[in-house]
Structures are given as C-alpha cells and as structure tokens.
Amino acid sequence: DLLVIALLIPTLILFRRWYACWGVAFYISLFIVECGGPLVNRRFKVKHFIKILSRILLQGFTSAIFLFIVAPNFTGRIIRTDYADIYSAYRRSATFFQSFIKVIDEIGLVYFIMFILGVAYAFLDKRMRKITVFLLTQWVIIFVLFSRTQDFDPHQLYLLLPTVFLFSALSATRLFVEAKKIKIIAACSLVFIFILNFIPSFSRETPWYAKMPIPVFADAGHLPLVRN
C-alpha cells in the first residue's frame, strides 16, 4: 500500500502541478500523526520514532525519484521556479486571514459550518480521531502552502473540497441519526439549502439571497466570457 501511495502522489502532480502541495502536506501530516500520537499518549519510544521516520522518508524519496524518472525536465523546472513570484498577480490577499475568508466565500458558510461540525463530531469519536487529525492537519498545511503562492480559484479548491465534503456528509448523516422524529423535515431542509446553494453557480443574475454581506451560500459562479 505504501508503495502504491508513493507512486500515485507524483502521478497527481503530473496532471496538476499544484497537487504538489497535497503531496507535501500528506507526508508532513503522516509524520505528525504517527509521531505526535504516541508523544501525546506518553508512549513515545525512540525506536518507534526512527522506524516511522525512515518509512516516511523512504516513501517520500520513492515519490521524488519516480517523478524525476518519469518527467525529469518537468521536475527540474519545479525545483528551479519561484512560483510565488510568477503567480503573484493571482494573489489578491495580503494575509493568510484574507485568503481564508476568500475560501469561505467560495465554499459558503453552509458547507463550512457543516464541515466544522463534522470535524468536531469525528474528533470526539475515539475511533475516528486519528484520521480526523490527519485530514485536518493536511487541510491546514495545503491551505498555508498554496496561499503563499496565490489565492484559491474555484478549480484549485479541489485541494480542499474532498475533506470539506467528507466531514460535511458526516455532519449531515449525524443530523439524520439524531433527529429521529423529524428526519423528513431535516432531509427536506438540507435539500432545499443545497438547491439554493447551487442556483447562483448556474444563474446569469445573482439571486437576491446570494447578495447578503455574509457569504451564507457558495460564491463559485463563473459566467462565460464575452468577446468585445
């Protein structure tokens, strides 16, 4: 499994260069979770640390070598290029906080609140705590790495959306489980909210409810460009 992951990560980068942020965040998060867990639980052992570190380094080295063998010119260009300088025109935010607010604007408060609720529930469940810490750590690292280069445009949100949707779905399913007597009402309410959330993306004119100062619904619409 580790070998397959080590080969798939550079494959992602070949399709989209900015998936390098995902790969780097994956290995850093893996190290934090595998070594941080025993440290917090006071079960830290040097042999265990060395074993985990050597495994992660070997896996990362395999990914780097595979990427270099498959696309040496592409890899060399990535190493030599300062993308923060090249894409500075696409970075309209002056701080990480502004970049974060822009991400929330794109996703919408509806999904983001569901995402936070799903993270909270998963973290409180001991069975899901480890994978929750891993995914949330990876999410934060991806955000920091990419925001140093440029702002997130809608298509680059693919780096963040899988984790958002995963925990949003978890919070929605928990809502159905807890709301035993009003499941139908809860389901209809969620469907109605989702429909309202999608309409601005496909509407030529922004609906009135999407013009509120607070970004309750997603602001990811992109109308066709018009020639002069």
Side-chain angles (χ1 to χ4, degrees), residues 30-86:
L30 186 62
F31 174 77
I32 291 174
V33 170
E34 292 296 332
C35 293
L39 188 62
V40 171
N41 297 326
R42 298 181 180 179
R43 299 175 184 174
F44 183 80
K45 295 180 180 180
V46 176
K47 289 184 178 180
H48 180 70
F49 173 79
I50 294 175
K51 182 179 178 181
I52 292 174
L53 182 61
S54 59
R55 186 183 66 187
I56 294 175
L57 288 176
L58 178 61
Q59 193 175 352
F61 183 73
T62 303
S63 295
I65 292 298
F66 178 75
L67 182 63
F68 185 78
I69 292 174
V70 174
N73 294 333
F74 174 76
T75 307
R77 188 165 62 251
I78 288 178
I79 296 172
R80 295 190 303 268
T81 304
D82 182 2
Y83 288 101
D85 178 59
I86 291 179

Side-chain angles (χ1 to χ4, degrees), residues 13 16 18 52 65 75 85 98 105 121 130 141 204:
I13 300 173
R16 279 291 183 270
W18 29 268
I52 292 174
I65 292 298
T75 307
D85 178 59
Q98 290 179 356
D105 288 344
Y121 171 78
K130 186 175 181 179
I141 294 173
R204 187 171 182 82

